[in-house]
Amino acid sequence: MRRLGELEATVMDVLWRGSEPMLVREVLQEIAKERDLAYTTVMTVLDNLYRKEWVVREMEGRAYRYRAITSREESTAQALRDVLDSASDPESVLLHFAQSVSEEESDILSRALRRKQRKR
């Protein structure tokens, strides 16, 4: 999975926060609360995200509605998977990561691993 540029990440944040597929102007309205961008810039970014398979779109009238293909959590998990897959020593990466987690995060991981073991 390709990494997102700064503007792509901003647009994806808007889509992930939204509960419904969004028009370009709706995405722009959300972004305009913090920065000034042209409509065509947002439209280009959404088109790029579509080509990169981060979003899907459906025609509504003469405009597209866009939505994220995966949730923020799924995308983040895939990014972690990509890091492990590209590491020359994934065990070492996991061990370093395990040392950095909080007690609450450690509990979450432990519960998830126990559930995984029970499914086998």
Side-chain angles (χ1 to χ4, degrees), residues 30-88:
E30 287 299 309
I31 293 172
K33 295 174 183 177
E34 296 184 19
R35 60 192 293 184
D36 189 30
L37 292 174
Y39 177 93
T40 54
T41 300
V42 175
M43 184 172 62
T44 299
V45 170
L46 282 163
D47 189 56
N48 290 342
L49 289 168
Y50 173 75
R51 285 188 293 102
K52 292 179 178 182
E53 299 181 345
W54 280 86
V55 301
V56 292
R57 65 187 182 190
E58 54 191 55
M59 186 63 80
E60 181 178 289
R62 296 183 345 190
Y64 285 112
R65 284 201 173 270
Y66 293 86
R67 71 172 171 79
I69 289 177
T70 61
S71 69
R72 180 191 312 267
E73 295 76 15
E74 290 168 322
S75 294
T76 303
Q78 183 59 52
L80 291 171
R81 177 79 263 153
D82 292 346
V83 167
L84 288 174
D85 288 346
S86 67
S88 60

